[in-house]
Amino acid sequence: MNAFFNSPVRSDGSQKWVDFAKSFWHVDCVRTLSTASFMQRYQKWCHRHGYNYQPDKAKAIFDTSTELIAMLPKNAMNKMLVMQGIDQLNAVSAIIEQLKAEMNTLASDLPEYPVVMAMPGVGPSLGPQIMAEIGDISRFPHKSALTAFAGVDPGANQSGNFEAKSNHASKRGSPRLRKALFMVMDCLIKTSPPNDSVYSFMDKKRSEGNLILSI
């Protein structure tokens, strides 16, 4: 189910694919209906939960349901197990969103907060993560020290008289900071913000075949 939905997690921890599973918990909840009946029910479900209704997505969900093989029968016991799993997912997701909100509140008191949050691709989740991993920025005497700490500095690749002109990142530093930066760059590539110097540089390198994003 979650392959059909890419909506971000809401502030209360709810997720569209989990909400969908709660209403349509078994494949037979979909494919035993006619296409028109399911699309009508799906539209009402979207309206009830405050989601945008997309007819094409409803049709794709129904068509996929007719090709699936149910591994468990549609009965009260399996429904209870699915609902218990959904309740646990919602509880964990709600706690995570509360922690993210608290992190953002704490980070907003830092002097570098407006600078970090103004960076394209950085949001209320990634911003506090980046600041938390870097810590006190003054402990890095120059930008290359911070680059090395993140592990995105070029690694050495030389032997004798040979020295490579282009090397992969060393990945020697903080893996959590590197992952957060990777997610920012991935967001930039997907959103393609106009007139952004960082995206323009990456797009140029990508067109030259020299850009490989890896964590």
Side-chain angles (χ1 to χ4, degrees), residues 9-13 92-109 113 117 123-129 131:
V9 182
R10 290 176 169 176
S11 58
D12 62 354
V92 172
S93 184
I95 292 173
I96 291 175
E97 293 309 306
Q98 290 173 7
L99 291 174
K100 286 181 178 179
E102 183 64 21
M103 286 175 60
N104 191 54
T105 300
L106 294 173
S108 64
D109 293 331
Y113 181 82
M117 299 304 292
S125 177
L126 285 176
Q129 288 182 49
M131 286 180 276

Side-chain angles (χ1 to χ4, degrees), residues 2 17 22 32 40 52 63 102 115 132 167 175 209:
N2 59 355
W17 76 272
K22 192 166 186 176
T32 54
Q40 186 179 35
N52 293 326
D63 290 344
E102 183 64 21
V115 177
N167 301 327

Side-chain angles (χ1 to χ4, degrees), residues 87-159:
D87 290 341
Q88 293 174 7
L89 277 173
N90 284 333
V92 172
S93 184
I95 292 173
I96 291 175
E97 293 309 306
Q98 290 173 7
L99 291 174
K100 286 181 178 179
E102 183 64 21
M103 286 175 60
N104 191 54
T105 300
L106 294 173
S108 64
D109 293 331
L110 299 174
E112 64 267 29
Y113 181 82
V115 177
V116 175
M117 299 304 292
M119 295 167 54
V122 174
S125 177
L126 285 176
Q129 288 182 49
I130 292 173
M131 286 180 276
E133 289 300 322
I134 292 176
D136 184 4
I137 193 70
S138 63
R139 66 193 179 104
F140 299 101
H142 42 74
K143 62 181 180 181
S144 57
L146 178 57
T147 303
F149 176 74
V152 293
D153 56 325
N157 184 11
Q158 61 182 73
S159 176

Side-chain angles (χ1 to χ4, degrees), residues 13-215:
S14 61
Q15 303 177 69
K16 189 173 183 178
W17 76 272
V18 179
D19 288 342
F20 180 87
K22 192 166 186 176
S23 297
F24 303 92
W25 64 274
H26 192 276
V27 66
D28 286 343
C29 294
V30 177
R31 65 184 177 187
T32 54
L33 304 172
S34 66
T35 305
S37 295
F38 170 72
M39 293 182 69
Q40 186 179 35
R41 283 191 60 183
Y42 179 76
Q43 184 177 17
K44 291 180 179 179
W45 174 84
C46 288
H47 179 74
R48 186 167 63 251
H49 289 272
Y51 295 118
N52 293 326
Y53 171 65
Q54 297 176 307
D56 292 344
K57 179 166 291 187
K59 182 67 164 54
I61 292 173
F62 182 84
D63 290 344
T64 300
S65 73
T66 61
E67 302 171 359
L68 299 178
I69 298 175
M71 303 302 294
L72 296 172
K74 182 185 176 185
N75 56 33
M77 176 61 70
N78 287 324
K79 182 177 182 179
M80 180 186 70
L81 293 174
V82 171
M83 294 303 156
Q84 287 179 346
I86 288 174
D87 290 341
Q88 293 174 7
L89 277 173
N90 284 333
V92 172
S93 184
I95 292 173
I96 291 175
E97 293 309 306
Q98 290 173 7
L99 291 174
K100 286 181 178 179
E102 183 64 21
M103 286 175 60
N104 191 54
T105 300
L106 294 173
S108 64
D109 293 331
L110 299 174
E112 64 267 29
Y113 181 82
V115 177
V116 175
M117 299 304 292
M119 295 167 54
V122 174
S125 177
L126 285 176
Q129 288 182 49
I130 292 173
M131 286 180 276
E133 289 300 322
I134 292 176
D136 184 4
I137 193 70
S138 63
R139 66 193 179 104
F140 299 101
H142 42 74
K143 62 181 180 181
S144 57
L146 178 57
T147 303
F149 176 74
V152 293
D153 56 325
N157 184 11
Q158 61 182 73
S159 176
N161 295 325
F162 170 78
E163 182 173 356
K165 296 182 179 180
S166 178
N167 301 327
H168 294 291
S170 67
K171 298 187 179 181
R172 295 174 298 184
S174 167
R176 291 181 295 272
L177 176 57
R178 191 161 56 252
K179 181 178 180 179
L181 295 175
F182 171 88
M183 294 174 69
V184 172
M185 295 301 103
D186 186 55
C187 180
L188 278 178
I189 290 177
K190 289 178 179 178
T191 56
S192 307
N195 303 321
D196 182 77
S197 56
V198 177
Y199 171 73
S200 298
F201 175 79
M202 290 196 302
D203 190 48
K204 176 185 176 184
K205 291 299 181 182
R206 182 172 55 177
S207 65
E208 296 172 352
N210 294 327
L211 177 65
I212 301 176
L213 288 180
S214 62
I215 302 176

